[in-house]
Amino acid sequence: MIRVRFAPSPTGFLHLGNIRTALFNYLFVKRQNGKFILRVEDTDRERSKPEFRQGLMEDMLWMGIRWDEGPEVGGDFGPYLQSERLPIYQKHIDKLISEGKAYYCYVTEEETEELKRLAKLERRPPRFDNRGRYFSKEEIESRKARGIKPTVRFKIENPQLKMHDLIRGDVSFNLDEMVGDFVIQRADGQPTFHLAVCIDDGLMQVTHVIRGEDHLSNTPKHILLLRAMGFEPPQYGHLSLIHGPGGEPLSKRLGDVSVKEFRRKGYLPHGLANYIALLGWAPGDNREIFKWEELMQAFDLARVNKSASIYDPHKLDWVNGEHLRALSDEDFSRFALTYLKEQKLLKHDESILHKILPIFKDNIERFDQLADRLEILNENLHYESKDLIQSEEGREVCKTALEILPTITDVGEAIYENLIQALKPRVKAKGKHLFMPLRIAITGKVHGPELKRLFPVFGIEGVKKRLERALNL
Ligand code: GLU
């Protein structure tokens, strides 16, 4: 059974990088009927907040990424919040110490900082020299007497390590050059990220760890630690970084790329998922637009690229626009209404919105563009060009249209055709001069959806009211 986990720290909003990790794990495991675990890494007590945890779960569900095990749904390997697993970690720490695989280290933080500073000065890697491992009994006693609280460090014994990364291929590490014995429990008793992650991956029987490239250098530590505790290390795959549109690190614009912000802008969850899937993965043919189901079938970790990808908001808009147009009118209205409600932009009657929303399907890319378009429903229109309705020609068009309207029977889009046919022989204006006054009088705007489609939304009465209002300006 394949088991993967997404292990966010609830210290902020989910952003593009995290959600791509979640998505790739999800797509990878779903195709193989495995289990997707959500594990919340909240051991950083100062920065972790319950509202971030709630927020990230809500954002995942909005995207359509559901966990088989984790907070709220439970599972056989819980608890799934690291803050609730402290006794489990302690047991493993004690065992590592009793087996001689880890030790209490009385080197203070000030000393390790000083070692790092010296290494930097001498242009050496800031490797810890393991001095605490060799302290004499007397040294330890004197440090204890000074009130120094120990950390627990894991002993690195076999520093040469090779592994096969599912995305990057063979990678070898020489930990001797990189790190010395590393801390698994801080002086205040908190387990470190490395320890918690390894115990959890081991106990939760995680088979594949797919995570960001920023964790690649942690992986040899994790493999050694897992083995020392008697766990078979999972297979690892490290996803390359995502850069901003100008090639800058994405970390510089995290506010712009949070899932919250994507929701605010009005992307469809599956449009966003489709775009994110393309950040590092390509199906190998020319397809770019995928429904959820298709994405699950097509996604293949072996085709994930190891070079960095660039976040391109224009492409995201394009992908989302394709998904919008693929919706039925009914679904389009439903998604749009949900969006307007969620973003507190619902300013008009829902029944009229239902009728008008599909009219915009072909010319928006995101739902946030609706707010502006829906201004044509306002009682008090803002007229972009009054001249066109106040000129003699314009007034004639509007007045004559008012006279003709009562003679037209209400038959959907034909209202407009019938009106124009009757209008043409009776007014001087032609072409643009005939259509524009009508458009401005009815919508206030120079550009907008086809009048033919708008007329049945307003109905003959609504059109009349708008023409009258324009004439009385
Ligand atoms: N909590 C870690 C992070 O948010 C995840 C670590 C992992 O995936 O192993 O970066």
Side-chain angles (χ1 to χ4, degrees):
M1 162 75 81
I2 302 224
R3 293 170 60 81
V4 300
R5 76 328 187 258
F6 173 51
S9 306
T11 53
F13 295 121
L14 272 195
H15 59 74
L16 202 56
N18 317 123
I19 199 74
R20 180 185 59 165
T21 299
L23 179 68
F24 281 25
N25 273 289
Y26 185 75
L27 294 173
F28 170 73
V29 84
K30 283 291 139 181
R31 197 173 137 182
Q32 309 183 71
N33 294 320
K35 292 266 184 273
F36 179 96
I37 305 163
L38 172 62
R39 182 173 79 222
V40 179
E41 304 210 324
D42 58 351
T43 48
D44 184 339
R45 279 187 292 192
E46 264 156 47
R47 291 172 58 228
S48 299
K49 302 244 156 56
E51 55 269 32
F52 287 135
R53 184 178 79 230
Q54 282 307 329
L56 74 89
M57 294 199 290
E58 207 205 296
D59 284 344
M60 285 174 73
L61 293 176
W62 173 80
M63 279 266 294
I65 302 179
R66 281 165 222 291
W67 50 101
D68 303 301
E69 291 174 29
E72 282 173 18
V73 303
D76 295 341
F77 300 83
Y80 293 92
L81 302 188
Q82 285 191 333
S83 56
E84 293 173 4
R85 299 175 64 78
L86 299 177
I88 303 177
Y89 304 141
Q90 192 58 54
K91 239 175 52 200
H92 282 84
I93 294 168
D94 295 344
K95 186 152 180 271
L96 282 168
I97 294 175
S98 72
E99 290 172 351
K101 295 172 178 167
Y103 60 95
Y104 291 110
C105 174
Y106 287 84
V107 177
T108 64
E109 208 175 323
E110 290 74 35
E111 286 171 283
T112 49
E113 285 308 313
E114 179 61 15
L115 286 173
K116 278 189 207 155
R117 200 184 62 82
L118 284 177
K120 204 170 163 195
L121 270 182
E122 293 164 19
R123 294 172 188 275
R124 285 181 287 110
R127 182 187 171 281
F128 179 65
D129 62 7
N130 300 351
R131 59 180 60 189
R133 213 205 271 199
Y134 308 108
F135 278 170
S136 64
K137 262 207 168 89
E138 295 74 37
E139 177 75 36
I140 292 177
E141 287 311 318
S142 107
R143 285 179 175 245
K144 274 188 190 167
R146 274 154 51 204
I148 294 173
K149 295 255 174 305
T151 58
V152 177
R153 284 188 187 259
F154 176 70
K155 286 185 192 165
I156 293 191
E157 302 285 16
N158 296 301
Q160 314 283 343
L161 208 98
K162 276 200 177 80
M163 70 143 196
H164 183 79
D165 188 278
L166 294 166
I167 294 162
R168 325 189 85 76
D170 291 334
V171 192
S172 30
F173 301 94
N174 185 354
L175 278 182
D176 242 357
E177 289 167 2
M178 293 162 62
V179 275
D181 296 346
F182 60 91
V183 177
I184 56 176
Q185 187 172 36
R186 282 186 248 282
D188 66 3
Q190 280 294 307
T192 60
F193 157 69
H194 301 302
L195 182 84
V197 116
C198 290
I199 294 176
D200 291 351
D201 286 344
L203 292 178
M204 293 179 183
Q205 297 177 13
V206 169
T207 59
H208 295 74
V209 166
I210 302 166
R211 60 184 174 184
E213 188 184 53
D214 46 330
H215 287 294
L216 183 62
S217 61
N218 292 328
T219 302
K221 294 185 197 168
H222 294 180
I223 293 175
L224 292 179
L225 193 49
L226 277 155
R227 284 190 189 143
M229 294 188 290
F231 297 117
E232 177 67 28
Q235 285 190 264
Y236 291 91
H238 289 88
L239 302 170
S240 299
L241 295 180
I242 306 175
H243 292 301
E248 73 280 14
L250 202 59
S251 55
K252 293 234 154 60
R253 34 165 59 231
L254 286 187
D256 295 348
V257 296
S258 66
V259 177
K260 286 263 167 307
E261 182 61 13
F262 290 127
R263 290 175 72 169
R264 195 191 62 72
K265 288 201 173 120
Y267 292 103
L268 288 168
H270 53 285
L272 182 62
N274 183 163
Y275 173 72
I276 292 176
L278 301 175
L279 287 172
W281 169 77
D285 49 34
N286 289 330
R287 282 181 303 163
E288 290 197 290
I289 302 299
F290 297 86
K291 299 198 179 97
W292 252 121
E293 300 303 313
E294 294 169 339
L295 210 47
M296 280 194 225
Q297 276 160 20
F299 184 81
D300 182 357
L301 200 63
R303 297 200 60 91
V304 171
N305 206 305
K306 60 179 170 189
S307 51
S309 36
I310 301 271
Y311 162 61
D312 174 356
H314 300 294
K315 176 136 187 205
L316 168 58
D317 280 0
W318 174 76
V319 170
N320 197 63
E322 293 295 304
H323 281 279
L324 285 179
R325 281 176 263 299
L327 293 175
S328 67
D329 284 0
E330 187 53 39
D331 284 345
F332 180 88
S333 297
R334 201 163 44 80
F335 275 112
L337 273 172
T338 307
Y339 167 81
L340 293 171
K341 278 186 206 158
E342 193 181 289
Q343 299 299 323
K344 307 203 172 11
L345 294 169
L346 194 66
K347 304 213 167 84
H348 303 96
D349 192 54
E350 278 193 43
S351 63
I352 190 141
L353 284 173
H354 253 297
K355 281 197 235 159
I356 202 169
L357 284 169
I359 294 180
F360 301 110
K361 197 171 84 177
D362 290 337
N363 41 37
I364 62 164
E365 274 158 340
R366 310 185 307 258
F367 288 134
D368 67 344
Q369 293 160 343
L370 281 175
D372 178 53
R373 318 259 162 146
L374 287 171
E375 282 174 7
I376 62 176
L377 288 178
N378 292 354
E379 281 291 310
N380 291 314
L381 289 179
H382 162 74
Y383 297 95
E384 282 179 3
S385 164
K386 281 193 185 167
D387 296 353
L388 283 171
I389 34 179
Q390 289 178 331
S391 68
E392 206 182 305
E393 221 180 23
R395 289 184 69 81
E396 189 196 18
V397 170
C398 294
K399 266 197 199 146
T400 320
L402 263 178
E403 287 164 23
I404 297 171
L405 277 173
T407 69
I408 293 177
T409 39
D410 192 342
V411 277
E413 293 190 2
I415 306 176
Y416 176 73
E417 308 288 350
N418 292 342
L419 172 68
I420 295 296
Q421 288 317 320
L423 196 56
K424 274 186 181 161
R426 291 180 53 179
V427 294
K428 284 197 284 306
K430 284 195 179 33
K432 190 174 160 219
H433 298 279
L434 184 128
F435 300 114
M436 222 18 131
L438 287 178
R439 170 175 292 287
I440 304 276
I442 287 157
T443 67
K445 290 184 192 283
V446 181
H447 300 289
E450 287 181 282
L451 288 178
K452 173 173 90 178
R453 298 191 66 187
L454 271 181
F455 272 47
V457 175
F458 294 136
I460 291 187
E461 276 316 304
V463 173
K464 264 170 69 184
K465 249 199 251 157
R466 282 162 185 258
L467 288 170
E468 277 159 8
R469 221 180 290 140
L471 281 167
N472 288 331
L473 279 182

